[in-house]
């Protein structure tokens, strides 16, 4: 109709908006093809035990190698993947790829270690998740106890579907971690209400450690509460040796952050007998 034509012309008279909308649309189209075009890749960030100074786990972090735009970080496309409802396919690709890679590492490294995979809240509520995880474990041959699934939005763990999935996963032997702990709606009562294997303390708790002595007390309290409920603690975003020392002092189990190692391609992962933390007597120094 004339009315609609007018509407369209009006939109065309806003070149800036049109370009933006078109670019978004193009990117969505590209994202739908990203998996089949083999454009996704995983980088891996070590999780270091503060007592041994060595790598005990690895977190898989997805990146999109766009043919024209180069490397795109997950914050630029995960939300879109959720909105387009392709997050399940993406999550499945990440799981399969990460598990296969971990089995290859286990075949060659001196020690076995955990693989942590981020699961979108949408995917965590989906009953298909159990099948996907089972299939990925079977296809790779990785024992379930080496897999940890990270979930950011703890309210998912309180929904019926989310809770059922978490329980079933733990029965399979898969571990569940609460990511970005301390942000959003997550609180210490979670430890009491749910069976959680690991909490990952958000980096907003780590950053103030250098200039606020009280910050260490808060951390110690979180660590103490987690341990009392049988959960392990990982600190995220550790960028300095001083932060690592304070975390070591309050009994934090594992650390992850740029100070130790950035997320790296599979081939660049440090060996399990390499010391990445100098304040420990048990780790062998690197020759
Ligand atoms: P996250 O799971 O909390 O992952 C930690 C993020 O912090 C990563 O960003 C990591 O590169 C970054 N980081 C690590 N150490 C440091 C540090 O010392 N300082 C600072 N400032 N940052 C550090 P990345 O890779 O950009 O991922 C961002 C988020 O995207 C992740 O946060 C996660 O929520 C999501 N994500 C990543 N991969 C996946 C995936 O495969 N599936 C899903 N659903 N989400 C993913
Ligand atoms: Mg994570
Ligand atoms: Mg996090
Ligand atoms: Mg995060």
């Amino acid at each position: 109709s004339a009315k609609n034509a007018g509407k369209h012309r009006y939109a065309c008279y806003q070149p800036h908006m049109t370009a933006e909308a078109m670019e978004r649309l193009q990117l969505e189209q590209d994202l739908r093809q990203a998996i089949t075009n083999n454009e996704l890749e995983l980088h891996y960030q070590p999780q270091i035990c503060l007592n041994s100074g060595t790598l005990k786990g690895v977190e898989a972090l997805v990146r999109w190698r766009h043919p024209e735009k180069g490397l795109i970080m997950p914050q630029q496309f995960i939300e879109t993947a959720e909105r387009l409802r392709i997050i399940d396919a993406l999550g499945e690709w990440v799981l399969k790829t990460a598990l296969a890679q971990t089995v290859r590492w286990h075949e060659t490294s001196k020690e076995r270690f955990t693989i942590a995979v981020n699961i979108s809240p949408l995917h965590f509520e989906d009953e298909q998740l159990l099948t996907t995880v089972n299939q990925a474990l079977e296809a790779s041959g990785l024992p379930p106890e080496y897999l940890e699934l990270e979930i950011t939005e703890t309210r998912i763990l309180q929904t019926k579907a989310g809770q059922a999935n978490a329980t079933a996963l733990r029965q399979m032997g898969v571990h569940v971690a609460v990511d970005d702990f301390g942000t959003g709606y997550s609180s210490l009562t979670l430890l009491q209400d749910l069976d959680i294997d690991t909490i990952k303390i958000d980096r907003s708790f780590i950053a103030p450690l250098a200039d606020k002595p009280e910050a260490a007390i808060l951390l110690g309290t979180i660590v103490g509460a987690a341990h009392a409920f049988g959960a392990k603690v990982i600190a995220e975003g550790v960028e300095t040796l001083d932060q690592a020392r304070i975390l070591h002092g309050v009994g934090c189990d594992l650390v992850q952050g740029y100070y130790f190692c950035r997320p790296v391609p599979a081939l660049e992962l440090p060996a399990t007998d390499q010391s990445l933390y100098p304040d420990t007597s048990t780790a062998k120094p690197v020759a």
Side-chain angles (χ1 to χ4, degrees):
S1 70
K3 202 176 158 198
N4 276 336
K7 227 172 169 177
H8 282 134
R9 269 225 310 280
Y10 178 75
C12 288
Y13 281 121
Q14 300 210 325
H16 177 70
M17 268 182 64
T18 305
E20 226 172 65
M22 273 175 63
E23 186 168 334
R24 195 167 54 230
L25 211 66
Q26 183 61 55
L27 213 67
E28 288 179 3
Q29 277 312 109
D30 294 352
L31 187 56
R32 288 181 198 277
Q33 304 290 316
I35 299 176
T36 43
N37 288 353
N38 252 319
E39 290 166 7
L40 295 183
E41 56 185 65
L42 293 181
H43 285 187
Y44 300 90
Q45 188 177 38
Q47 300 175 331
I48 314 302
C49 166
L50 284 169
N51 286 328
S52 67
T54 57
L55 180 155
K56 296 289 181 196
V58 158
E59 179 177 7
L61 296 157
V62 71
R63 278 94 180 85
W64 176 15
R65 179 111 19 213
H66 190 281
E68 287 126 39
K69 294 178 195 297
L71 200 68
I72 306 182
M73 299 303 273
Q75 261 142 4
Q76 256 87 60
F77 65 86
I78 290 288
E79 270 176 40
T80 308
E82 287 172 343
R83 187 164 40 79
L84 299 179
R85 298 270 154 181
I86 52 174
I87 193 68
D88 299 29
L90 189 148
E92 188 175 345
W93 181 87
V94 171
L95 260 171
K96 288 199 168 134
T97 308
L99 265 50
Q101 178 58 56
T102 305
V103 166
R104 283 198 289 277
W105 276 322
H106 283 189
E107 281 163 3
T108 53
S109 82
K110 291 206 173 107
E111 265 190 74
R112 291 181 163 199
F113 50 85
T114 311
I115 181 79
V117 175
N118 293 284
I119 300 290
S120 152
L122 280 180
H123 200 186
F124 207 93
E125 263 187 321
D126 188 341
E127 55 183 59
Q128 259 295 112
L129 180 73
L130 294 177
T131 313
T132 304
V133 171
N134 245 322
Q135 279 172 355
L137 283 168
E138 267 169 28
S140 67
L142 186 79
E145 60 268 29
Y146 289 107
L147 174 61
E148 183 153 273
L149 298 182
E150 298 190 2
I151 170 102
T152 305
E153 283 187 45
T154 51
R155 59 173 178 79
I156 296 302
L157 296 173
Q158 282 138 333
T159 67
K160 225 176 180 175
Q163 208 163 347
N165 269 351
T167 304
L169 286 165
R170 296 194 79 253
Q171 271 164 2
M172 284 164 58
V174 173
H175 292 173
V176 176
V178 172
D179 205 348
D180 305 334
F181 186 86
T183 64
Y185 294 99
S186 72
S187 76
L188 287 172
T189 58
L190 251 160
L191 292 164
Q192 186 165 272
D193 301 342
L194 306 165
D195 243 335
I196 287 161
D197 299 284
T198 305
I199 62 166
K200 299 191 71 179
I201 302 181
D202 190 69
R203 68 164 178 269
S204 57
F205 288 85
I206 314 304
L209 280 178
D211 16 70
K212 273 203 196 124
E214 313 87 87
I217 295 172
L218 181 57
L219 268 177
T221 304
I222 298 173
V223 172
H227 285 170
F229 285 101
K232 205 170 59 179
V233 181
I234 305 181
E236 296 192 281
V238 182
E239 294 183 350
T240 69
L241 179 57
D242 280 345
Q243 290 169 349
R245 286 178 169 148
I246 294 168
L247 288 159
H248 197 183
V250 300
C252 178
D253 303 294
L254 297 148
V255 279
Q256 221 183 309
Y258 295 165
Y259 171 74
F260 298 94
C261 189
R262 287 184 175 258
V264 291
L267 284 171
E268 292 168 33
L269 194 76
T272 54
D273 59 353
Q274 186 177 336
S275 174
L276 294 157
Y277 177 52
D279 276 20
T280 176
S281 49
T282 48
K284 260 192 293 170
V286 196

